[in-house]
Amino acid sequence: MSVLNKIFFFFIFLLINYQILGQEDNSYDLLTERYVDRPIAMHKGQLQFNSGYEFSIINRKYDVSGKKIDLATDGSVSAKHLMPFELKFGILEYLQLTASTGYASIGLRNQNHNIGSSGSILYVSELTRYKGFNDLFLGTALTAPIKWHPVNFVISAGIFLPLFNHEPDKPEHSYTILDPTNGSASLIYKYNNKYSGGAMIGLLGTSLKIRTSRISLTGSFIYSTGLKDAKSVDWKFRLVENEFQYQKDEYQFNPGITINYYSEVAVQAIPWFTITSAFNGYKSSDGWSNITGKKVGYIKKSLNNLSLGYEILVSQNLRLEQHVILPVSGKNIMAQWAFLTGISLNIITFAD
Amino acid sequence: MKKTLYICICFLSFGNLKLFTQIEEMIIPSDLKQQTIITEPMTLRKGFFRAGISANFIMIDRLFNEDKKKDYVLGTNSYGKTWSYLLGLQYGIIDRLQVSVRIPYANNQYFISTRITYPSINYDTILAFKTIGRGFGDIEAGFRCQVVTESESFPSVTLGVYGVLPTGPKNPKNIKSDIEYDLPTGNGHASLTADIMLKKISYPYSLTLYGYYYYHFKGKKVMFPYEDAIEFKNGGVFSITAGFGFHLNDWIALVNDIGILTHTENTYYYSQTVESPGGWDLTYQPSVYFQIRKFRFFEIIQIPLLGKNGGADPIYSLNLQYIF
């Protein structure tokens, strides 16, 4: 049974059973808790399934000095489609388990390049695809047993497991003679990469939520690092008599260190409607690969985003959220504006 | 004994009368104006007026090719994004007949960027153009008639007829080069649509079945800069969509539509007739509706699943309506 089928059947299982399982004690109060009152982690017995759809347009990049480059002018705007999946479960009031992944499809274009020579033109275009499931994240969150409601403090740890195939498929480059008389031709480079990173990554983080009657402030900080060197393959190619020949070479890499930070202000407009605004970003460094035959360090990258959104408490079991995410600054990275629609199914499987 | 019998009959009669009066509908017009996409009839009631605006977005990135394979648009060195806005007005003449007008405004942008190199003469430059088309499109007007009202065993059936007039500009303007000009926002031809819609409500659910045929009349316009105007005729479009909607709570509804659309080839009457191939697509269209009193806000995503010779990018639609 494929992973998708398993997720589907689990989802159906939740839909069938939530009414049977979830009607005890203070379940209703816990499930209809206002956004600003909710703890960062799950309540004891709370099972939460989050999913949705995020559409992004990769329309800018930041160079080494942080200067913004418009990809529309550069001729390389791309789209990204992402479906995140996340499952959270509160084993105890202060202990939560998390599993998450996501399925994505991205097609990155490079600027077309026309190379002229004595009456003929070579039209060169390039597409790099990323498609498939992301690495599986398994994590745990420990809530500090602070009884004072305004403060909620969580320490989290987890690991990204390269469960899905991360090695790129064979490229599908093509060379087509357009005009035999003058030799004009079209050269298309098409790379078929996977979305999965392929490295085992350890993660340690902390989150703090300050809660008032109408507003909550949340901040989190996550440190992650590659736990061991990972392997992947690189497809070397050459053009022989208008046909591409490929050779698969193995190489090692390490994703290095990434620091993620997130801060959010949430305003409880009415009990079932919350407006949120967030600032988040990340910095990565110390990664390397020997794809070229020598161990070469990855260039440092950073990106900061601002987002604005809302959450609606549709029913005791269902929450709906939408966010617009805009990049504001970065270095050595492509950036995207994104529109995320998410749903959250919640049940209380057992209560005190 | 007779007296007792009369008293019993009278008592039972009053009782029944009371029972009968319990099913009398006590719905006031303001409540009817707050009906949701699930519970409302397919045509506006007499005297009701609905105004709405919608914004639609599409980024042209992928397409279904002749082999029915979803692929990226490559080698064209361009990408496009389209925002279109629509003002929709509907009025119920009688409970079963509604007239409507739709006025579109388009904001289309196409970006072309290419690096051009001639190594032999040390020439290396980047050519970047942005082609824009902004303006009103072709206005649509028509009516919808409820020929069968819904009963316990039968769905409501409505028929609609709509005409599109070529009111928007149809030719390219401000031509600076063959890739740099103002795009037209009109199609340059008239069209006629006939549709049929069936709807069955079983609160909190509703089922719909919708079919239409789009007929395009022959038109004449300049297809590309520096060309003469030519006659053309777009192929017909036939579509069937089935939908299942349900309430998530009293004021939020989720509707899931799945539909198939076929279109026949377009014909362009140059000195030699040119035809663009016909095709089809299968789309899934989830939409979420928020009914806040007389306001209705809804979002639609149209996701192409399968197809041939057509676009494969999702279309996003944000809509706001108010009923007077």
Side-chain angles (χ1 to χ4, degrees), chain A residues 206-225:
Chain A
T206 177
S207 302
L208 176 69
K209 186 172 183 179
I210 309 291
R211 299 177 283 197
T212 69
S213 60
R214 289 285 301 275
I215 293 171
S216 70
L217 304 169
T218 307
S220 61
F221 178 85
I222 297 165
Y223 172 88
S224 59
T225 181

Side-chain angles (χ1 to χ4, degrees), chain A residues 233-250:
Chain A
V233 295
D234 178 43
W235 290 91
K236 301 280 193 303
F237 57 86
R238 60 180 182 168
L239 186 63
V240 180
E241 293 177 352
N242 299 343
E243 290 290 328
F244 276 95
Q245 294 178 347
Y246 301 96
Q247 181 188 321
K248 190 161 76 168
D249 289 345
E250 199 172 84

Side-chain angles (χ1 to χ4, degrees), chain A residues 53 55 57 73-75 77 81 106-107 109 111-116 127 129 188 190 272 312 314 320 322, chain B residues 57 59 61-62 71-74 77 79 113-119 126 128 248-249 251 290 299 316:
Chain A
Y53 174 64
F55 174 71
I57 292 186
T73 309
D74 195 45
V77 171
H81 308 267
I106 310 167
R109 297 158 195 277
Q111 186 179 53
N112 279 16
H113 191 182
N114 298 351
I115 304 167
L127 176 78
R129 292 215 64 190
I188 297 175
K190 196 172 175 186
W272 48 264
I312 291 177
V314 177
L320 174 74
Q322 291 193 308
Chain B
F57 175 78
M59 179 183 162
D61 189 42
R62 290 185 290 179
D71 207 352
Y72 283 84
V73 180
L74 272 179
N77 68 13
Y79 105 96
S113 177
T114 303
R115 182 180 169 195
I116 297 176
T117 308
Y118 282 89
I126 292 171
L248 296 172
N249 63 18
W251 59 277
F290 302 92
E299 297 175 34
Y316 296 83

Side-chain angles (χ1 to χ4, degrees), chain A residues 47-249:
Chain A
L47 184 65
Q48 185 180 78
F49 173 70
N50 301 316
S51 187
Y53 174 64
E54 183 182 290
F55 174 71
S56 311
I57 292 186
I58 303 164
N59 62 350
R60 69 175 68 169
K61 64 181 174 187
Y62 295 98
D63 66 11
V64 68
S65 61
K67 186 185 166 193
K68 186 175 79 174
I69 297 165
D70 183 4
L71 294 183
T73 309
D74 195 45
S76 51
V77 171
S78 308
K80 176 183 175 185
H81 308 267
L82 171 70
M83 284 184 71
F85 304 101
E86 184 182 53
L87 197 64
K88 293 180 177 177
F89 182 63
I91 296 178
L92 302 168
E93 190 63 27
Y94 300 112
L95 179 62
Q96 170 194 286
L97 293 181
T98 305
S100 67
T101 183
Y103 184 86
S105 173
I106 310 167
L108 294 178
R109 297 158 195 277
N110 265 14
Q111 186 179 53
N112 279 16
H113 191 182
N114 298 351
I115 304 167
S117 170
S118 59
S120 68
I121 298 177
L122 179 65
Y123 300 94
V124 184
S125 57
E126 185 175 321
L127 176 78
T128 306
R129 292 215 64 190
Y130 293 87
K131 191 178 178 184
F133 279 97
N134 196 5
D135 297 330
L136 178 70
F137 173 74
L138 295 176
T140 183
L142 278 167
T143 303
I146 301 168
K147 294 290 183 186
W148 191 43
H149 179 75
V151 174
N152 188 231
F153 181 67
V154 168
I155 294 172
S156 55
I159 188 167
F160 279 99
L161 297 171
L163 196 69
F164 302 99
N165 182 18
H166 66 281
E167 293 183 352
D169 291 333
K170 191 162 78 172
E172 295 171 287
H173 304 331
S174 65
Y175 181 80
T176 311
I177 302 285
L178 300 174
D179 188 344
T181 55
N182 64 14
S184 290
S186 164
L187 178 59
I188 297 175
Y189 294 110
K190 196 172 175 186
Y191 299 93
N192 297 313
N193 296 334
K194 298 290 194 321
Y195 187 56
S196 167
M200 192 180 288
I201 295 171
L203 179 150
L204 199 61
T206 177
S207 302
L208 176 69
K209 186 172 183 179
I210 309 291
R211 299 177 283 197
T212 69
S213 60
R214 289 285 301 275
I215 293 171
S216 70
L217 304 169
T218 307
S220 61
F221 178 85
I222 297 165
Y223 172 88
S224 59
T225 181
L227 295 178
K228 62 177 187 179
D229 297 346
K231 286 180 182 174
S232 189
V233 295
D234 178 43
W235 290 91
K236 301 280 193 303
F237 57 86
R238 60 180 182 168
L239 186 63
V240 180
E241 293 177 352
N242 299 343
E243 290 290 328
F244 276 95
Q245 294 178 347
Y246 301 96
Q247 181 188 321
K248 190 161 76 168
D249 289 345

Side-chain angles (χ1 to χ4, degrees), chain B residues 144-273:
Chain B
R144 174 170 295 285
C145 176
Q146 194 170 170
V147 290
V148 178
T149 52
E150 186 176 344
S151 64
E152 274 191 22
S153 58
F154 205 77
S156 64
V157 180
T158 58
L159 299 175
V161 177
Y162 300 91
V164 177
L165 299 169
T167 51
K170 61 181 181 179
N171 296 322
K173 287 179 184 171
N174 298 325
I175 298 168
K176 293 174 187 165
S177 73
D178 56 351
I179 52 173
E180 210 176 357
Y181 57 92
D182 288 353
L183 294 160
T185 52
N187 291 315
H189 62 86
S191 309
L192 197 65
T193 312
D195 71 30
I196 181 168
M197 186 181 277
L198 283 74
K199 182 177 181 181
K200 186 83 184 83
I201 302 167
S202 177
Y203 189 85
Y205 310 105
S206 75
L207 289 168
T208 55
L209 188 65
Y210 175 61
Y212 69 82
Y213 182 75
Y214 218 111
Y215 179 81
H216 300 293
F217 294 95
K218 201 181 249 189
K220 189 176 183 182
K221 68 177 178 181
V222 175
M223 291 290 167
F224 299 103
Y226 306 124
E227 288 184 359
D228 294 329
I230 58 152
E231 288 193 323
F232 67 99
K233 189 176 184 306
N234 286 353
V237 179
F238 176 68
S239 173
I240 291 182
T241 301
F244 171 64
F246 58 93
H247 274 279
L248 296 172
N249 63 18
D250 287 344
W251 59 277
I252 302 178
L254 187 69
V255 178
N256 297 277
D257 290 328
I258 190 150
I260 189 158
L261 178 147
T262 66
H263 58 93
T264 54
E265 65 277 358
N266 301 335
T267 309
Y268 305 96
Y269 300 99
Y270 286 98
S271 54
Q272 282 190 322
T273 302

Side-chain angles (χ1 to χ4, degrees), chain A residues 55 57 72 77 109, chain B residues 57-62 73 76-83 107-112 131 183 313:
Chain A
F55 174 71
I57 292 186
V77 171
R109 297 158 195 277
Chain B
F57 175 78
I58 181 169
M59 179 183 162
I60 300 157
D61 189 42
R62 290 185 290 179
V73 180
T76 60
N77 68 13
S78 69
Y79 105 96
K81 60 178 182 179
T82 297
W83 273 105
N107 180 8
N108 304 325
Q109 295 180 46
Y110 293 92
F111 301 88
I112 299 172
T131 309
L183 294 160
D313 300 303

Side-chain angles (χ1 to χ4, degrees), chain B residues 66-111:
Chain B
E66 183 71 26
D67 301 324
K68 303 187 259 313
K69 192 179 168 191
K70 191 186 280 187
D71 207 352
Y72 283 84
V73 180
L74 272 179
T76 60
N77 68 13
S78 69
Y79 105 96
K81 60 178 182 179
T82 297
W83 273 105
S84 65
Y85 309 93
L86 205 64
L87 172 68
L89 306 170
Q90 299 170 329
Y91 182 72
I93 294 175
I94 54 174
D95 277 354
R96 288 180 167 209
L97 182 65
Q98 158 193 303
V99 290
S100 63
V101 177
R102 296 207 298 177
I103 304 164
Y105 183 88
N107 180 8
N108 304 325
Q109 295 180 46
Y110 293 92
F111 301 88

Side-chain angles (χ1 to χ4, degrees), chain A residues 310-329:
Chain A
Y310 68 85
E311 191 219 61
I312 291 177
L313 190 62
V314 177
S315 68
Q316 62 169 317
N317 300 108
L318 181 64
R319 297 164 191 167
L320 174 74
E321 60 177 328
Q322 291 193 308
H323 302 273
V324 176
I325 303 154
L326 298 168
V328 287
S329 65

